Amino acid sequence: MTFRVLDPDPYLGHYAGEELEIGGQTFLFHPLRVWMDLADRLDCHMRVPERDGPFLKITFQKKETRQRDRTLSSNTEKYGAQSEFQRIHKLEEPYFLLDAIQALRSLDLPAEARILDLGVNSGEELRLLDLAYPGNHFEVLGLDHSESALNIARGRFPQHRFQVADINALPEDLGTFDLILSIGTLQSANIEVEPVFRRLLKHIKLGGHWLLAFPNSRYSGGEISYGARMVNYREPELSLLFKDVAFFRRYFQKHRYSVNVTGKYYILVTARSLSRV
Ligand SMILES: C[S@@+](CC[C@H](N)C(=O)[O-])C[C@H]1O[C@@H](n2cnc3c(N)ncnc32)[C@H](O)[C@@H]1O
């Protein structure tokens, strides 16, 4: 589908839908983002627009419909080394990258912090620690049930420890941590989130912090698409996401943490302990 819209560049600063009189004709202004959002909402790619006088020619290209991956999240290799998931690099998404770095910095972690990462996969998210705290010497323990993903992580971060474990049955001898981090994992259908969280409480140090991220997006046709989806829903439906975020936010607020909820494609719940060590 191709259509022509007013080139927004000469009129930046207007709002979407504002009327503009140009050469005796009325046009509506829209920033480019509006067309990108529309493409996303219609499950299309937006091709690079072509200039056409005072207009832009915009082409939407339907994304190839692919079979939904019906592998159960309890399958330990669903996100393994051979899975499609390894093609995804979330640190290339500006909202995720900048919000996660800001969240980590807000925790003011001690120089030799012990960090537990649940669902660490291939470890890519551990680069956030280097970006937020350059030159740090954190001691990271990454857990995941995918042996093959952990092997990639071991190659990337030989200084850290990675252990195969089921988050529903955490090893008793994990020790205690200054930060418990979990990105895109606790919402998995196979994880009993509330019992797991209660068990984790004995592994957080007094004064230790939490950073939990929940997807508000899905990946389709090479792109991140806004909005959490529930099983059998085509359109975004955020009820389960809100339930998880509300559960953690309420818990942390009741237990002497200062809580921030940030993010767009991933909702980040950052809980900074107010307890003095
Ligand atoms: C969607 S991926 C997110 C991975 C990574 N944190 C990221 O954001 O790129 C979820 C991860 O949790 C792991 N996982 C899911 N259920 C698990 C369980 N019960 N025990 C351990 N790991 C689990 C998966 O193997 C996968 O690596």
Side-chain angles (χ1 to χ4, degrees):
M1 177 206 317
T2 298
F3 54 95
R4 281 192 330 159
V5 300
L6 188 67
D7 180 350
D9 273 5
Y11 313 104
L12 293 178
H14 289 82
Y15 293 100
E18 263 194 287
E19 290 187 355
L20 296 170
E21 287 293 319
I22 303 161
Q25 270 190 286
T26 306
F27 294 90
L28 295 186
F29 172 87
H30 295 94
L32 208 51
R33 183 196 50 76
V34 163
W35 307 117
M36 300 192 77
D37 280 354
L38 182 62
D40 182 29
R41 201 62 185 72
L42 298 178
D43 221 11
C44 292
H45 300 285
M46 182 170 122
R47 302 193 64 122
V48 173
E50 289 170 42
R51 282 225 154 81
D52 180 11
F55 303 106
L56 292 182
K57 236 164 65 182
I58 292 188
T59 301
F60 284 0
Q61 180 180 319
K62 197 80 186 157
K63 286 183 193 160
E64 269 181 40
T65 43
R66 297 191 54 192
Q67 279 289 34
R68 231 189 97 224
D69 177 6
R70 293 192 184 275
T71 318
L72 294 177
S73 64
S74 54
N75 179 326
T76 59
E77 287 304 313
K78 180 177 167 84
Y79 298 102
Q82 301 307 321
S83 67
E84 169 102 1
F85 187 71
Q86 298 304 329
R87 295 177 57 200
I88 290 168
H89 303 286
K90 4 175 120 55
L91 273 61
E92 300 303 316
E93 297 296 338
Y95 272 107
F96 179 74
L97 179 73
L98 299 178
D99 292 345
I101 291 175
Q102 190 178 5
L104 283 167
R105 286 197 179 135
S106 75
L107 298 176
D108 202 10
L109 292 171
E112 311 225 320
R114 285 199 82 217
I115 298 175
L116 175 65
D117 187 331
L118 297 166
V120 67
N121 197 264
S122 62
E124 208 170 67
E125 64 213 28
L126 299 179
R127 282 173 46 216
L128 291 168
L129 296 170
D130 297 328
L131 293 168
Y133 296 87
N136 68 72
H137 294 286
F138 297 149
E139 184 188 327
V140 176
L141 171 61
L143 302 184
D144 205 287
H145 64 186
S146 168
E147 174 84 65
S148 67
L150 290 184
N151 281 337
I152 303 177
R154 289 183 183 112
R156 286 181 174 156
F157 297 96
Q159 72 276 33
H160 297 321
R161 240 170 17 102
F162 299 94
Q163 192 175 324
V164 175
D166 179 356
I167 293 172
N168 291 308
L170 289 168
E172 287 289 324
D173 57 354
L174 290 178
T176 55
F177 297 88
D178 299 282
L179 169 66
I180 296 184
L181 172 69
S182 189
I183 295 179
T185 299
L186 295 181
Q187 82 294 340
S188 296
N190 85 85
I191 294 179
E192 300 154 28
V193 64
E194 295 186 21
V196 164
F197 177 62
R198 290 190 203 291
R199 266 175 254 138
L200 279 170
L201 291 173
K202 66 171 188 252
H203 297 293
I204 192 85
K205 286 185 186 172
L206 180 68
H209 312 296
W210 300 76
L211 175 54
L212 308 177
F214 300 90
N216 185 23
S217 53
R218 64 166 180 180
Y219 292 93
S220 88
E223 294 189 41
I224 198 162
S225 173
Y226 177 80
R229 303 319 199 262
M230 301 222 295
V231 184
N232 298 331
Y233 276 69
R234 248 183 67 87
E235 318 300 347
E237 217 301 327
L238 311 193
S239 305
L240 284 182
L241 169 68
F242 275 41
K243 177 175 163 285
D244 285 339
V245 170
F247 166 77
F248 284 107
R249 183 171 169 273
R250 198 172 322 114
Y251 180 90
F252 290 132
Q253 282 184 331
K254 274 197 197 155
H255 291 82
R256 293 191 47 74
Y257 288 90
S258 140
V259 187
N260 284 109
V261 179
T262 56
K264 178 179 179 182
Y265 296 106
Y266 280 82
I267 302 302
L268 308 181
V269 179
T270 312
R272 190 166 55 83
S273 175
L274 300 174
S275 301
R276 285 179 186 273
V277 191

